[in-house]
């Protein structure tokens, strides 16, 4: 694995010059749109395994780029996953080891991080956050304080898509903000508001490079799809029908955004990154399911594959390979250095991600030998570590028989169906020691 301490700005900047060889000298830097879906299952996108979903616009985007079939989110739950994507650091190092609180308590460690938006803004990009935030409500954690010129969306974990009230527990509170000011759009469908805001931002900045973080509150509960999509999937079993219809409704809106990009003549000037934040939900509010991890074990909140293996792709028509699939191990922290390299931006700090440009362009080996996950801190934290094909999952407080440790070789058992911990005690010891050393380094 490439050490995070070996990521040096000069090296990356030099690679960035080579990476833009297909573009004319003096051409504008590419725009970037990062699309992050919410609670989308491991196989629930075209080309990833599901056959009962209809998402033609996402499919078209992926076909104009490169899919990753062993792509991992940084956490099996929302806030840590988002923090890692935006900072290029594992959640523990990014100061977001668990979900952000639902109030304005300060999150000092996250507030000190440099985000992807900071990097783009420093390079002269116009930057926008559109959609869900869920990375803290304290003033120094809000989008406009984290590098975004423009922000529109909700600050908490989920909202009703029409009233824009927090969808969790009382007391009821409205959660829709533009640049830190509460705004009211009663009865207007949130995905439509996201499209309106995104198209307006693109139109305003079509003649200069822009970065958009498009973080949809879908297919996260509440499942509130378009009526026509509900009818389209009426033959599917409940609750798959609701989930499929909601994903199709999201796909329609992503299509609108990409059509606007095309109408502005920016298709070949725009990099699009797509991934889910974590696996599908089986929470009661999600009708106890709807999404799918296919053959993989686990779901949202789980460190088994179904909680952290997610659909992902990158597309840049005319500049990156199209209609390609990569099985190399890749990680959400990798988007930060990948985009920096593609856009020719210098990075001056250490991160945990590694650029995927050579993987995409040359089908090179994965830059990762080891990956880490941890949710929470201290002795009660759940964690996992993958080295090569071996993966160890630790779940605190299971029982006294040793089942707290679950070991699998993913090359032989990607479904994590059989615990090999008792048969390979030396492997368990090694992976546990790797994890402990990583925690010490992350908190140093």
């Amino acid at each position: 694995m490439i050490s995070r301490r070996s990521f040096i700005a000069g090296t990356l900047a030099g690679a960035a010059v080579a990476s833009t060889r297909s573009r004319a000298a003096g051409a504008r830097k590419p725009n970037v749109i990062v699309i992050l879906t919410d609670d989308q299952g491991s196989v629930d996108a075209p080309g990833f395994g599901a056959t009962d979903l209809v998402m033609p616009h996402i499919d078209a985007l992926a076909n104009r780029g490169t899919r990753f079939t062993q792509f991992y989110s940084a956490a099996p739950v929302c806030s840590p996953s988002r923090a890692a994507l935006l900072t290029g650091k594992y959640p523990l190092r990014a100061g977001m080891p668990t979900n952000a609180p639902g109030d304005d308590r300060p999150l000092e460690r996250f507030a000190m991080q440099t985000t992807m938006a900071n990097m783009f803004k420093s390079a002269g990009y116009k930057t926008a956050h559109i959609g869900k935030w869920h990375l803290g409500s304290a003033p120094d954690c809000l989008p406009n304080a984290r590098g975004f010129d423009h922000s529109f969306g909700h600050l908490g974990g989920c909202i009703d898509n029409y009233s824009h009230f927090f969808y969790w527990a009382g007391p009821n509170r409205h959660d829709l903000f533009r640049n830190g000011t509460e705004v009211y759009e009663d009865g207007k469908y949130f995905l439509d508001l996201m499209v309106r805001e995104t198209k307006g931002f693109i139109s305003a900045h079509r003649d200069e490079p822009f970065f958009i973080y498009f973080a949809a509150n879908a297919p996260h509960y509440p499942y509130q799809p378009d009526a026509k999509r509900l009818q389209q999937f009426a033959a599917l079993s409940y609750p798959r029908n609701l989930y499929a219809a909601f994903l199709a409704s999201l796909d329609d809106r992503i299509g609108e955004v990409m059509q606007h990009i095309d109408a502005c003549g920016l298709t070949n000037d725009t990099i699009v990154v797509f991934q889910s934040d974590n696996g599908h939900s089986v929470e009661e509010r999600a009708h106890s399911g709807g999404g799918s991890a296919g053959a993989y074990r686990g779901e949202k909140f789980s460190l088994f594959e179904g909680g952290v293996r997610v659909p992902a792709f990158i597309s840049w028509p005319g500049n990156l390979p199209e209609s390609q699939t990569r099985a190399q191990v890749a990680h959400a922290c990798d988007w930060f250095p990948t985009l920096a390299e593609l856009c020719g931006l210098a990075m001056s700090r250490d991160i945990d991600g590694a650029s995927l440009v050579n993987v995409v362009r040359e089908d090179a080996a994965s830059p990762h030998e080891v990956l880490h996950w941890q949710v929470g801190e201290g002795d009660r934290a759940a964690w996992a570590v993958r080295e090569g094909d071996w993966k160890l999952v630790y779940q605190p407080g299971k029982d006294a028989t040793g089942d707290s440790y679950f070991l699998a070789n993913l090359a032989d058992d990607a479904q994590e169906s059989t615990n090999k911990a008792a048969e390979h005690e030396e492997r368990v010891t090694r992976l546990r020691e790797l994890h402990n050393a990583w925690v010490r380094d992350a908190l140093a």
Side-chain angles (χ1 to χ4, degrees):
M1 181 181 183
I2 295 177
S3 168
R4 62 182 172 84
R5 302 195 187 281
S6 68
F7 251 93
I8 300 173
T11 301
L12 183 59
V17 173
S19 77
T20 55
R21 60 186 180 274
S22 63
R23 301 180 58 75
R28 61 178 280 168
K29 291 185 181 296
N31 311 307
V32 175
I33 301 177
V34 173
I35 300 172
L36 187 67
T37 62
D38 200 345
D39 293 0
Q40 185 174 357
S42 304
V43 302
D44 285 337
F48 291 89
T51 59
D52 58 347
L53 303 175
V54 180
M55 291 182 281
H57 301 293
I58 292 173
D59 192 26
L61 263 178
N63 286 338
R64 298 197 69 175
T66 298
R67 291 176 172 87
F68 293 90
T69 59
Q70 281 199 91
F71 192 95
Y72 289 101
S73 66
V77 67
C78 177
S79 299
S81 175
R82 292 160 193 271
L85 182 148
L86 287 175
T87 65
K89 292 184 177 182
Y90 285 123
L92 190 61
R93 291 191 64 226
M96 195 72 68
T98 59
N99 266 346
D103 51 35
D104 60 356
R105 279 174 285 174
L107 298 168
E108 290 89 352
R109 282 192 293 157
F110 174 69
M112 293 189 298
Q113 306 302 322
T114 297
T115 69
M116 199 181 288
N118 292 132
M119 176 181 70
F120 281 108
K121 186 172 182 177
S122 295
Y125 279 66
K126 295 299 181 181
T127 59
H129 150 258
I130 311 290
K132 176 174 175 175
W133 183 240
H134 205 192
L135 289 170
S137 300
D140 55 0
C141 288
L142 294 174
N144 296 113
R146 311 305 311 128
F148 290 100
D149 297 309
H150 182 75
S151 172
F152 174 83
H154 58 104
L155 303 180
C158 49
I159 57 169
D160 177 88
N161 287 280
Y162 293 95
S163 69
H164 317 128
F165 273 68
F166 181 52
Y167 189 86
W168 184 258
N172 293 334
R173 67 176 187 272
H174 181 259
D175 186 6
L176 188 64
F177 292 83
R178 179 183 289 108
N179 296 322
T181 299
E182 190 169 12
V183 294
Y184 294 86
E185 299 275 5
D186 297 351
K188 295 179 182 178
Y189 193 41
F190 183 63
L191 289 175
D192 286 335
L193 295 177
M194 287 183 63
V195 170
R196 182 195 70 188
E197 207 79 8
T198 302
K199 290 168 66 174
F201 185 83
I202 292 168
S203 294
H205 301 290
R206 61 189 297 174
D207 295 325
E208 54 191 329
F210 56 78
F211 165 64
I212 300 174
Y213 172 49
F214 186 93
N217 185 44
H220 194 292
Y221 56 81
Y223 295 162
Q224 293 175 309
D226 293 321
K228 66 179 181 180
R229 297 305 177 203
L230 276 174
Q231 184 177 7
Q232 177 183 2
F233 294 98
L236 291 184
S237 61
Y238 165 86
R240 183 71 168 173
N241 61 326
L242 306 180
Y243 176 89
F246 203 15
L247 269 178
S249 301
L250 171 62
D251 182 76
D252 289 337
R253 275 65 183 192
I254 290 174
E256 287 187 54
V257 171
M258 300 318 301
Q259 288 160 12
H260 188 67
I261 287 285
D262 193 56
C264 290
L266 298 175
T267 296
N268 288 357
D269 289 309
T270 303
I271 301 169
V272 178
V273 161
F274 176 99
Q275 76 158 87
S276 174
D277 66 340
N278 47 248
H280 68 288
S281 173
V282 295
E283 296 165 88
E284 181 181 6
R285 293 171 181 83
H287 300 259
S288 301
S292 176
Y296 302 120
R297 179 178 183 176
E299 61 282 317
K300 181 180 180 181
F301 303 117
S302 169
L303 287 167
F304 290 109
E305 293 290 282
V308 291
R309 188 184 289 218
V310 295
F313 62 78
I314 184 170
S315 172
W316 187 12
N319 295 274
L320 291 177
E322 300 186 17
S323 300
Q324 298 294 306
T325 299
R326 300 287 185 259
Q328 292 89 326
V329 172
H331 188 271
C333 288
D334 297 340
W335 292 132
F336 196 118
T338 299
L339 292 171
E341 182 172 344
L342 290 173
C343 297
L345 310 183
M347 293 192 333
S348 59
R349 62 187 187 87
D350 62 327
I351 61 171
D352 295 307
S355 175
L356 299 172
V357 170
N358 287 339
V359 174
V360 173
R361 282 201 163 124
E362 312 295 340
D363 203 12
S366 169
H368 299 289
E369 295 177 5
V370 180
L371 289 177
H372 295 275
W373 295 267
Q374 178 165 310
V375 180
E377 295 182 272
D379 294 339
R380 306 306 296 170
W383 54 266
V385 56
R386 175 174 176 172
E387 182 183 35
D389 291 326
W390 288 98
K391 181 182 170 190
L392 180 67
V393 176
Y394 175 71
Q395 304 171 96
K398 285 294 181 182
D399 54 42
T401 67
D403 285 342
S404 290
Y405 291 98
F406 189 101
L407 179 72
N409 186 298
L410 297 177
D412 302 325
D413 183 16
Q415 297 76 31
E416 296 170 296
S417 60
T418 304
N419 190 355
K420 297 291 187 179
E423 299 174 34
H424 298 277
E425 293 182 4
E426 76 292 342
R427 182 71 61 176
V428 172
T429 298
R430 171 173 171 74
L431 294 176
R432 185 172 61 237
E433 289 174 350
L434 277 176
H435 168 76
N436 290 337
W438 171 77
V439 170
R440 289 193 297 270
D441 182 61
L443 297 178

